Amino acid sequence: MRAMLLSKPAPVETAPLQATTVEVPEPADDEVLVKVRTCGVCRTDLHVVEGELPPHKLPLIPGHQIVGIVARLGSACSRVRVGQRVGIAWLRKTCGHCAFCTAGKENLCESSTYTGYDADGGYAEYAVAPEAFLYPIPDSFDDVSAAPLLCAGIIGYRALQRCNLQTNGILALYGFGASAHLVFQIAQHRGHKLFVVSQGEHHQEAARELGANWVGADPAKMPEPADAAIIFAPAGWLVLPALESLKKGGTLVLAGIYMSEIPPLNYDRHLFYERDVRTVTANTREDAQGLLLEAAKIPVRVRTCLYPLEKANQALLELKAGKIQGSAVLQVSAT
Ligand SMILES: [Zn+2]
Ligand SMILES: [Zn+2]
């Protein structure tokens, strides 16, 4: 099968993914073989390919927002059927019996593994995944629109849940890439006011088009403090102005898997008055199901920028440069 293979992490400017052919993977008893139609390109892929996240497996096929068709079932599978359209997300497998798994916090599982990091992902014609971690894709989304929901969407959804917003709250979003433009629509549909902080002119424009209540580059200019804020950009320095722009008792959620160093905080200016800082780590299966259901009901409009599989390096490069409107998606096979 065709695949984009990473042999050694390196800056995307050097095109570290190689177009090659490899064997079609064999599903284990509890796994399913999926013929990949599309695969989203996520900022986490960038951190994996460039090595900010230490390698877990090399060589590696990245990609963890996979939409495809079930091609073959392992001998112990019975939940899905051949021909069914399913999604594969970042959380590949959990142990099911550690203290976190049994407390409904499987995203913190002691021995969880991840798609396109611990095991090969979707920058290839076929992928395997445990049957218990597949998600049926709602019919209202085509293969291209569905892909970004599987990470950008899910992580945004979990970040929003962790904001603890009350009815008619004010939510500030820092950065307006793939995840932010999806969570924006969910928060808006739930009745919240949206403020968007972004340096990028075209990101600001996209936020205005979606009906943001305020858009700007300087959080100090927000018309009023926010009840909650989510930082999507991997920029640690943003934590300070984001905390300063919160109301008393407000919550700041950091949604990235990687963040540059956070400068020292001043207790009085940034934290006192019960301002909380929370992070988001992966997702539970419940998050994924919740997101897909709510996104289909609204329905969320997914902005995508399509690339052929072989252009994965270019997609990552443009993502790094902040040039992509919405989400980059690789078209792997015809639909
Ligand atoms: Zn566990
Ligand atoms: Zn991701």
Side-chain angles (χ1 to χ4, degrees):
M1 65 173 184
R2 289 150 52 229
M4 295 300 287
L5 198 66
L6 178 74
S7 303
K8 189 169 164 265
V12 283
E13 289 79 2
T14 65
L17 294 172
Q18 270 193 315
T20 182
T21 52
V22 298
E23 292 281 301
V24 173
E26 271 297 308
D29 292 349
D30 65 340
E31 289 180 339
V32 165
L33 178 69
V34 172
K35 183 167 195 328
V36 180
R37 282 181 166 179
T38 58
C39 185
V41 176
C42 173
R43 186 163 284 278
T44 299
D45 298 338
L46 189 60
H47 298 316
V48 169
V49 168
E50 296 203 316
E52 277 116 352
L53 296 177
H56 280 191
K57 171 189 183 292
L58 287 173
L60 173 77
I61 300 169
H64 58 268
Q65 306 184 89
I66 304 168
V67 176
I69 301 296
V70 174
R72 192 148 53 88
L73 303 180
S75 61
C77 296
S78 58
R79 219 167 52 95
V80 296
R81 54 182 169 71
V82 170
Q84 186 179 344
R85 189 169 68 139
V86 293
I88 303 172
W90 173 242
L91 185 72
R92 176 183 165 79
K93 197 174 187 175
T94 54
C95 77
H97 51 72
C98 72
F100 295 108
C101 281
T102 52
K105 297 179 181 174
E106 66 179 356
N107 60 309
L108 302 178
C109 173
E110 297 287 7
S111 41
S112 49
T113 57
Y114 299 94
T115 311
Y117 190 40
D118 298 291
D120 285 336
Y123 289 15
E125 280 180 289
Y126 287 90
V128 292
E131 182 189 38
F133 289 78
L134 298 177
Y135 307 99
I137 303 289
D139 290 339
S140 45
F141 296 108
D142 60 31
D143 298 330
V144 178
S145 310
L149 296 174
L150 291 163
C151 183
I154 293 170
I155 295 300
Y157 179 85
R158 184 167 181 88
L160 181 60
Q161 303 296 74
R162 287 179 64 71
C163 281
N164 285 332
L165 271 170
Q166 307 298 311
T167 316
N168 301 325
I170 300 176
L171 174 65
L173 302 177
Y174 289 77
F176 205 67
S179 204
H181 100 282
L182 297 173
V183 76
F184 180 103
Q185 297 175 64
I186 296 171
Q188 190 181 45
H189 192 257
R190 290 184 185 179
H192 302 304
K193 245 190 202 177
L194 274 302
F195 295 166
V196 173
V197 181
S198 171
Q199 313 293 327
E201 193 48 52
H202 58 274
H203 281 174
Q204 289 191 3
E205 219 176 278
R208 274 188 212 104
E209 266 169 39
L210 282 174
N213 300 84
W214 176 85
V215 181
D218 181 1
K221 295 192 173 144
M222 271 184 205
E224 54 184 315
D227 296 293
I230 306 174
I231 296 183
F232 291 102
W237 63 269
L238 275 176
V239 169
L240 280 67
L243 282 168
E244 282 180 54
S245 313
L246 281 182
K247 282 183 194 166
K248 290 179 184 177
T251 303
L252 171 63
V253 176
L254 312 181
I257 191 170
Y258 166 82
M259 185 170 250
S260 61
E261 195 149 336
I262 299 171
L265 299 176
N266 175 280
Y267 184 66
D268 204 43
R269 273 170 63 195
H270 302 117
L271 291 173
F272 195 57
Y273 297 119
E274 304 199 339
R275 280 170 286 187
D276 286 335
V277 182
R278 315 180 85 186
T279 61
V280 173
T281 300
N283 66 280
T284 63
R285 279 171 279 183
E286 207 184 325
D287 294 325
Q289 287 147 5
L291 174 270
L292 288 169
L293 215 69
E294 193 166 344
K297 228 181 268 171
I298 295 175
V300 160
R301 286 171 299 149
V302 188
R303 266 182 121 155
T304 54
C305 194
L306 201 58
Y307 300 79
L309 173 64
E310 283 71 19
K311 291 266 163 66
N313 285 305
Q314 190 191 329
L316 287 166
L317 193 62
E318 288 174 13
L319 176 67
K320 187 178 181 180
K323 282 188 189 157
I324 293 171
Q325 291 274 34
S327 306
V329 176
L330 302 177
Q331 181 85 57
V332 179
S333 61
T335 57

mmCIF file of all heavy atoms in Angstrom, residues 304-334:
data_model
loop_
_atom_site.group_PDB
_atom_site.id
_atom_site.type_symbol
_atom_site.label_atom_id
_atom_site.label_comp_id
_atom_site.label_asym_id
_atom_site.label_seq_id
_atom_site.Cartn_x
_atom_site.Cartn_y
_atom_site.Cartn_z
ATOM 1 N N THR A 304 -12.177 22.930 5.366
ATOM 2 C CA THR A 304 -11.041 22.057 5.114
ATOM 3 C C THR A 304 -10.217 22.542 3.933
ATOM 4 O O THR A 304 -10.688 23.312 3.102
ATOM 5 C CB THR A 304 -11.507 20.616 4.819
ATOM 6 O OG1 THR A 304 -12.457 20.661 3.763
ATOM 7 C CG2 THR A 304 -12.115 19.963 6.035
ATOM 8 N N CYS A 305 -8.998 22.051 3.907
ATOM 9 C CA CYS A 305 -8.075 22.377 2.834
ATOM 10 C C CYS A 305 -7.495 21.015 2.424
ATOM 11 O O CYS A 305 -6.847 20.349 3.238
ATOM 12 C CB CYS A 305 -7.017 23.280 3.440
ATOM 13 S SG CYS A 305 -6.031 24.101 2.239
ATOM 14 N N LEU A 306 -7.804 20.573 1.203
ATOM 15 C CA LEU A 306 -7.522 19.191 0.821
ATOM 16 C C LEU A 306 -6.179 19.036 0.107
ATOM 17 O O LEU A 306 -5.838 19.854 -0.750
ATOM 18 C CB LEU A 306 -8.661 18.711 -0.091
ATOM 19 C CG LEU A 306 -8.869 17.210 -0.228
ATOM 20 C CD1 LEU A 306 -9.117 16.562 1.124
ATOM 21 C CD2 LEU A 306 -10.040 16.922 -1.162
ATOM 22 N N TYR A 307 -5.432 18.003 0.468
ATOM 23 C CA TYR A 307 -4.146 17.684 -0.164
ATOM 24 C C TYR A 307 -4.148 16.207 -0.530
ATOM 25 O O TYR A 307 -4.694 15.390 0.212
ATOM 26 C CB TYR A 307 -2.977 17.895 0.810
ATOM 27 C CG TYR A 307 -2.822 19.289 1.338
ATOM 28 C CD1 TYR A 307 -3.638 19.749 2.363
ATOM 29 C CD2 TYR A 307 -1.856 20.153 0.839
ATOM 30 C CE1 TYR A 307 -3.497 21.043 2.871
ATOM 31 C CE2 TYR A 307 -1.699 21.437 1.336
ATOM 32 C CZ TYR A 307 -2.520 21.875 2.359
ATOM 33 O OH TYR A 307 -2.374 23.143 2.856
ATOM 34 N N PRO A 308 -3.497 15.822 -1.645
ATOM 35 C CA PRO A 308 -3.322 14.385 -1.887
ATOM 36 C C PRO A 308 -2.350 13.804 -0.845
ATOM 37 O O PRO A 308 -1.522 14.554 -0.304
ATOM 38 C CB PRO A 308 -2.726 14.316 -3.296
ATOM 39 C CG PRO A 308 -2.221 15.680 -3.604
ATOM 40 C CD PRO A 308 -2.914 16.652 -2.711
ATOM 41 N N LEU A 309 -2.447 12.500 -0.584
ATOM 42 C CA LEU A 309 -1.598 11.844 0.425
ATOM 43 C C LEU A 309 -0.126 12.218 0.262
ATOM 44 O O LEU A 309 0.560 12.527 1.237
ATOM 45 C CB LEU A 309 -1.766 10.320 0.317
ATOM 46 C CG LEU A 309 -0.838 9.466 1.177
ATOM 47 C CD1 LEU A 309 -1.082 9.709 2.657
ATOM 48 C CD2 LEU A 309 -1.026 7.978 0.859
ATOM 49 N N GLU A 310 0.342 12.210 -0.974
ATOM 50 C CA GLU A 310 1.772 12.432 -1.234
ATOM 51 C C GLU A 310 2.228 13.853 -0.895
ATOM 52 O O GLU A 310 3.417 14.130 -0.850
ATOM 53 C CB GLU A 310 2.109 12.104 -2.699
ATOM 54 C CG GLU A 310 2.210 10.609 -2.998
ATOM 55 C CD GLU A 310 0.856 9.875 -2.968
ATOM 56 O OE1 GLU A 310 -0.194 10.548 -3.083
ATOM 57 O OE2 GLU A 310 0.847 8.637 -2.805
ATOM 58 N N LYS A 311 1.261 14.759 -0.647
ATOM 59 C CA LYS A 311 1.622 16.142 -0.313
ATOM 60 C C LYS A 311 1.583 16.380 1.200
ATOM 61 O O LYS A 311 1.423 17.524 1.659
ATOM 62 C CB LYS A 311 0.668 17.104 -1.023
ATOM 63 C CG LYS A 311 0.850 17.148 -2.531
ATOM 64 C CD LYS A 311 1.784 18.276 -2.893
ATOM 65 C CE LYS A 311 2.364 18.229 -4.227
ATOM 66 N NZ LYS A 311 1.990 18.305 -5.427
ATOM 67 N N ALA A 312 1.728 15.315 1.991
ATOM 68 C CA ALA A 312 1.643 15.445 3.455
ATOM 69 C C ALA A 312 2.689 16.411 4.007
ATOM 70 O O ALA A 312 2.406 17.199 4.913
ATOM 71 C CB ALA A 312 1.787 14.072 4.114
ATOM 72 N N ASN A 313 3.917 16.369 3.466
ATOM 73 C CA ASN A 313 4.950 17.299 3.947
ATOM 74 C C ASN A 313 4.516 18.752 3.750
ATOM 75 O O ASN A 313 4.704 19.593 4.632
ATOM 76 C CB ASN A 313 6.269 17.068 3.204
ATOM 77 C CG ASN A 313 6.974 15.804 3.672
ATOM 78 O OD1 ASN A 313 7.227 15.631 4.865
ATOM 79 N ND2 ASN A 313 7.276 14.909 2.734
ATOM 80 N N GLN A 314 3.946 19.008 2.571
ATOM 81 C CA GLN A 314 3.509 20.374 2.266
ATOM 82 C C GLN A 314 2.379 20.816 3.203
ATOM 83 O O GLN A 314 2.363 21.946 3.690
ATOM 84 C CB GLN A 314 3.044 20.434 0.811
ATOM 85 C CG GLN A 314 2.792 21.849 0.329
ATOM 86 C CD GLN A 314 2.073 21.861 -1.016
ATOM 87 O OE1 GLN A 314 2.251 20.963 -1.836
ATOM 88 N NE2 GLN A 314 1.249 22.872 -1.234
ATOM 89 N N ALA A 315 1.453 19.886 3.476
ATOM 90 C CA ALA A 315 0.347 20.211 4.384
ATOM 91 C C ALA A 315 0.892 20.578 5.765
ATOM 92 O O ALA A 315 0.455 21.552 6.382
ATOM 93 C CB ALA A 315 -0.606 19.024 4.474
ATOM 94 N N LEU A 316 1.876 19.812 6.247
ATOM 95 C CA LEU A 316 2.470 20.090 7.563
ATOM 96 C C LEU A 316 3.207 21.426 7.567
ATOM 97 O O LEU A 316 3.145 22.187 8.537
ATOM 98 C CB LEU A 316 3.424 18.955 7.960
ATOM 99 C CG LEU A 316 2.737 17.649 8.375
ATOM 100 C CD1 LEU A 316 3.738 16.505 8.408
ATOM 101 C CD2 LEU A 316 2.068 17.797 9.747
ATOM 102 N N LEU A 317 3.891 21.705 6.472
ATOM 103 C CA LEU A 317 4.639 22.953 6.339
ATOM 104 C C LEU A 317 3.684 24.151 6.390
ATOM 105 O O LEU A 317 3.933 25.142 7.080
ATOM 106 C CB LEU A 317 5.408 22.931 5.015
ATOM 107 C CG LEU A 317 6.481 23.981 4.813
ATOM 108 C CD1 LEU A 317 7.575 23.831 5.858
ATOM 109 C CD2 LEU A 317 7.088 23.850 3.412
ATOM 110 N N GLU A 318 2.559 24.045 5.672
ATOM 111 C CA GLU A 318 1.599 25.145 5.651
ATOM 112 C C GLU A 318 0.878 25.294 6.987
ATOM 113 O O GLU A 318 0.538 26.393 7.409
ATOM 114 C CB GLU A 318 0.630 24.966 4.473
ATOM 115 C CG GLU A 318 1.359 25.256 3.167
ATOM 116 C CD GLU A 318 0.555 24.972 1.901
ATOM 117 O OE1 GLU A 318 -0.674 24.781 1.992
ATOM 118 O OE2 GLU A 318 1.178 24.942 0.818
ATOM 119 N N LEU A 319 0.689 24.153 7.675
ATOM 120 C CA LEU A 319 0.102 24.199 9.024
ATOM 121 C C LEU A 319 1.054 24.944 9.959
ATOM 122 O O LEU A 319 0.654 25.808 10.737
ATOM 123 C CB LEU A 319 -0.129 22.769 9.530
ATOM 124 C CG LEU A 319 -0.649 22.630 10.956
ATOM 125 C CD1 LEU A 319 -2.067 23.161 11.075
ATOM 126 C CD2 LEU A 319 -0.633 21.167 11.409
ATOM 127 N N LYS A 320 2.331 24.628 9.872
ATOM 128 C CA LYS A 320 3.349 25.255 10.723
ATOM 129 C C LYS A 320 3.388 26.762 10.480
ATOM 130 O O LYS A 320 3.546 27.555 11.400
ATOM 131 C CB LYS A 320 4.719 24.634 10.410
ATOM 132 C CG LYS A 320 5.828 25.070 11.348
ATOM 133 C CD LYS A 320 7.132 24.369 10.985
ATOM 134 C CE LYS A 320 8.274 24.755 11.904
ATOM 135 N NZ LYS A 320 9.525 24.058 11.533
ATOM 136 N N ALA A 321 3.220 27.153 9.217
ATOM 137 C CA ALA A 321 3.294 28.568 8.857
ATOM 138 C C ALA A 321 1.980 29.301 9.140
ATOM 139 O O ALA A 321 1.875 30.497 8.902
ATOM 140 C CB ALA A 321 3.667 28.696 7.384
ATOM 141 N N GLY A 322 0.985 28.583 9.667
ATOM 142 C CA GLY A 322 -0.305 29.217 9.979
ATOM 143 C C GLY A 322 -1.068 29.643 8.743
ATOM 144 O O GLY A 322 -1.864 30.566 8.768
ATOM 145 N N LYS A 323 -0.827 28.941 7.626
ATOM 146 C CA LYS A 323 -1.431 29.373 6.357
ATOM 147 C C LYS A 323 -2.763 28.676 6.065
ATOM 148 O O LYS A 323 -3.385 28.957 5.054
ATOM 149 C CB LYS A 323 -0.476 29.048 5.199
ATOM 150 C CG LYS A 323 0.678 30.024 5.075
ATOM 151 C CD LYS A 323 1.442 29.729 3.802
ATOM 152 C CE LYS A 323 2.725 30.517 3.710
ATOM 153 N NZ LYS A 323 3.687 29.862 2.819
ATOM 154 N N ILE A 324 -3.146 27.704 6.923
ATOM 155 C CA ILE A 324 -4.326 26.901 6.575
ATOM 156 C C ILE A 324 -5.579 27.457 7.229
ATOM 157 O O ILE A 324 -5.592 27.758 8.412
ATOM 158 C CB ILE A 324 -4.085 25.428 6.976
ATOM 159 C CG1 ILE A 324 -2.979 24.851 6.091
ATOM 160 C CG2 ILE A 324 -5.364 24.614 6.839
ATOM 161 C CD1 ILE A 324 -2.496 23.493 6.500
ATOM 162 N N GLN A 325 -6.618 27.626 6.428
ATOM 163 C CA GLN A 325 -7.924 28.047 6.919
ATOM 164 C C GLN A 325 -8.676 26.803 7.349
ATOM 165 O O GLN A 325 -8.954 25.954 6.525
ATOM 166 C CB GLN A 325 -8.719 28.723 5.803
ATOM 167 C CG GLN A 325 -8.175 30.052 5.375
ATOM 168 C CD GLN A 325 -8.726 31.180 6.250
ATOM 169 O OE1 GLN A 325 -8.961 30.995 7.441
ATOM 170 N NE2 GLN A 325 -8.928 32.329 5.665
ATOM 171 N N GLY A 326 -9.010 26.673 8.613
ATOM 172 C CA GLY A 326 -9.703 25.481 9.080
ATOM 173 C C GLY A 326 -8.714 24.334 9.230
ATOM 174 O O GLY A 326 -7.683 24.487 9.860
ATOM 175 N N SER A 327 -9.007 23.178 8.620
ATOM 176 C CA SER A 327 -8.190 21.978 8.822
ATOM 177 C C SER A 327 -7.635 21.436 7.528
ATOM 178 O O SER A 327 -8.334 21.369 6.526
ATOM 179 C CB SER A 327 -9.057 20.864 9.427
ATOM 180 O OG SER A 327 -9.697 21.314 10.576
ATOM 181 N N ALA A 328 -6.385 20.993 7.584
ATOM 182 C CA ALA A 328 -5.804 20.295 6.440
ATOM 183 C C ALA A 328 -6.241 18.835 6.487
ATOM 184 O O ALA A 328 -6.272 18.223 7.551
ATOM 185 C CB ALA A 328 -4.282 20.382 6.488
ATOM 186 N N VAL A 329 -6.603 18.300 5.326
ATOM 187 C CA VAL A 329 -7.025 16.889 5.237
ATOM 188 C C VAL A 329 -6.337 16.247 4.045
ATOM 189 O O VAL A 329 -6.245 16.851 2.974
ATOM 190 C CB VAL A 329 -8.573 16.783 5.065
ATOM 191 C CG1 VAL A 329 -8.995 15.342 4.871
ATOM 192 C CG2 VAL A 329 -9.292 17.401 6.259
ATOM 193 N N LEU A 330 -5.839 15.036 4.251
ATOM 194 C CA LEU A 330 -5.241 14.280 3.150
ATOM 195 C C LEU A 330 -6.302 13.398 2.510
ATOM 196 O O LEU A 330 -7.020 12.669 3.211
ATOM 197 C CB LEU A 330 -4.104 13.392 3.659
ATOM 198 C CG LEU A 330 -2.949 14.081 4.393
ATOM 199 C CD1 LEU A 330 -1.958 13.042 4.885
ATOM 200 C CD2 LEU A 330 -2.266 15.095 3.481
ATOM 201 N N GLN A 331 -6.414 13.468 1.187
ATOM 202 C CA GLN A 331 -7.290 12.545 0.461
ATOM 203 C C GLN A 331 -6.443 11.318 0.150
ATOM 204 O O GLN A 331 -5.475 11.404 -0.605
ATOM 205 C CB GLN A 331 -7.791 13.197 -0.832
ATOM 206 C CG GLN A 331 -8.729 12.319 -1.625
ATOM 207 C CD GLN A 331 -10.174 12.425 -1.150
ATOM 208 O OE1 GLN A 331 -10.734 13.503 -1.127
ATOM 209 N NE2 GLN A 331 -10.761 11.296 -0.745
ATOM 210 N N VAL A 332 -6.779 10.198 0.760
ATOM 211 C CA VAL A 332 -5.933 9.021 0.624
ATOM 212 C C VAL A 332 -6.443 8.111 -0.482
ATOM 213 O O VAL A 332 -5.689 7.642 -1.319
ATOM 214 C CB VAL A 332 -5.843 8.262 1.975
ATOM 215 C CG1 VAL A 332 -4.983 7.020 1.827
ATOM 216 C CG2 VAL A 332 -5.273 9.186 3.049
ATOM 217 N N SER A 333 -7.735 7.833 -0.495
ATOM 218 C CA SER A 333 -8.293 7.042 -1.594
ATOM 219 C C SER A 333 -9.634 7.632 -1.998
ATOM 220 O O SER A 333 -10.254 8.364 -1.227
ATOM 221 C CB SER A 333 -8.432 5.570 -1.212
ATOM 222 O OG SER A 333 -9.297 5.446 -0.111
ATOM 223 N N ALA A 334 -10.067 7.322 -3.204
ATOM 224 C CA ALA A 334 -11.303 7.901 -3.739
ATOM 225 C C ALA A 334 -12.509 7.444 -2.933
ATOM 226 O O ALA A 334 -12.490 6.360 -2.347
ATOM 227 C CB ALA A 334 -11.459 7.494 -5.193
#
